[in-house]
Amino acid sequence: MSLSKIEREVKILAYTISDECINCGACDDSCPVGAIAEAGEKRVIDEDNCIDCGACVDTCPVNCISE
Ligand code: SF4
Ligand code: SF4
């Protein structure tokens, strides 16, 4: 199995926030497990804590959260 295939399978377990994030904080309270945190000038999702519920996706004004 190639490394890129492994990375893809790992990624599928968590949502991610792209560099389009404007760090507005709108998504923070939507996460039931507190997996969203500020990191520099954007928010990031802790993939170890994310339970893949998708609740944060619709709260983002710039649609930068995806699976
Ligand atoms: S998908 Fe659910 S658990 Fe994961 S960061 Fe978004 S709200 Fe939190
Ligand atoms: S709602 Fe979207 S733009 Fe705002 S902090 Fe969360 S991911 Fe970034």
Side-chain angles (χ1 to χ4, degrees), residues 8-51:
R8 202 158 52 236
E9 290 187 358
V10 167
K11 261 213 146 82
I12 239 165
L13 299 173
Y15 280 70
T16 56
I17 295 173
S18 78
D19 290 341
E20 304 299 308
C21 175
I22 56 172
N23 210 17
C24 69
C27 55
D28 286 3
D29 291 340
S30 67
C31 183
V33 294
I36 300 172
E38 200 167 355
E41 295 182 351
K42 61 172 285 202
R43 291 311 203 262
V44 293
I45 293 172
D46 182 345
E47 61 186 43
D48 291 333
N49 287 335
C50 176
I51 58 172

